[in-house]
Amino acid sequence: DPCRNFHCKRGKVCHVDKQGKPRCICQDPAACPSTKDYEHVCGTDNKTYDGTCQLFGTKCQLEGTKMGRQLHLDYMGSCKYIPHCTDYEVDQFPLRMRDWLKNILMQYYERDLDTSGFLTEKQRSKVEKIYQNDKRLVAGDHAVELLLHDFEKNYHMYVYPVHWQFHQLDQHPVDRLLTHSELAPLRASLVPMEHCITRFFQECDEDQDKLIALKEWCHCFGIKE
């Protein structure tokens, strides 16, 4: 099968032409496998798609058009009303996000105690210090004042989680810059819960070049140079 090890980008599938050579053609959205309700996604056109296969197949068919360039995965789940993010809320957002990233790393660390493989040895040694230090804060939602006070008092405990998340996203390619598609896995899963994340990332891009550099990312989270 010529298509066996032939890779096509999202929205395209391998097709063998008359000469027997594999090539990529647009996925027919109607031919996508059926999905469950929880697999639905919302596009930036505010339209609900049955899944990412249907969304990216549609985007591929619109290739070369303005509509195609503007169509991206907005967030996971069916489209719904996303409330406006106020100035106050966007100011508070980094506090919750920093705490959330730190908690994710600590959950990975706890799982590694039973089954290794979530973190590398180098990552584990960094997170161990954060884990031991964080026993001060009881798990769960924390008041903004507590998060702000803890960030000021234990600043060094928040630096690594912010760096770690950037490098987790910076994969295609690894160039210390985050594109829209590299941000999508994090952003798309959080939008329904954190309606300020879109505005937060837009304002992170200080030079408006549609890329978030490591320096811009850290500045957004209050991490010093």
Side-chain angles (χ1 to χ4, degrees), residues 37-160:
D37 285 352
Y38 61 80
E39 294 175 300
H40 290 177
V41 296
C42 185
T44 45
D45 56 354
N46 202 34
K47 179 183 172 185
T48 298
Y49 293 85
D50 285 347
T52 53
C53 171
Q54 195 181 86
L55 169 67
F56 288 106
T58 303
K59 179 177 173 62
C60 181
Q61 291 188 335
L62 293 169
E63 212 168 70
T65 67
K66 184 181 179 183
M67 197 179 291
R69 286 192 297 275
Q70 292 176 342
L71 180 59
H72 298 285
L73 169 64
D74 200 7
Y75 53 88
M76 309 306 285
S78 299
C79 295
K80 61 180 185 178
Y81 171 70
I82 303 293
H84 173 71
C85 177
T86 65
D87 292 346
Y88 174 77
E89 286 174 322
V90 84
D91 286 344
Q92 306 306 314
F93 183 81
L95 305 179
R96 293 195 308 278
M97 192 74 175
R98 282 192 304 247
D99 193 50
W100 183 69
L101 293 176
K102 184 159 62 68
N103 284 327
I104 285 178
L105 272 178
M106 290 199 299
Q107 283 174 22
Y108 280 157
Y109 180 80
E110 283 185 331
R111 288 182 201 171
D112 263 3
L113 297 176
D114 299 323
T115 315
S116 62
F118 289 99
L119 300 170
T120 65
E121 195 173 325
K122 187 178 178 183
Q123 288 172 333
R124 262 199 307 278
S125 67
K126 286 179 178 288
V127 180
E128 184 178 14
K129 296 167 190 170
I130 301 172
Y131 182 80
Q132 290 168 350
N133 181 271
D134 207 70
K135 290 302 169 190
R136 300 165 295 97
L137 288 178
V138 181
D141 290 334
H142 301 119
V144 165
E145 292 76 21
L146 175 63
L147 293 177
L148 187 58
H149 174 72
D150 195 61
F151 178 64
E152 290 169 353
K153 189 179 176 186
N154 298 283
Y155 167 80
H156 60 291
M157 293 294 165
Y158 291 88
V159 176
Y160 182 68

Side-chain angles (χ1 to χ4, degrees), residues 1-15 22-25 172:
D1 178 6
C3 282
R4 182 180 288 253
N5 295 311
F6 194 78
H7 178 71
C8 294
K9 70 175 187 177
R10 293 183 88 169
K12 295 195 173 189
V13 289
C14 182
H15 172 77
R23 63 189 184 92
C24 295
I25 62 169
H172 309 289

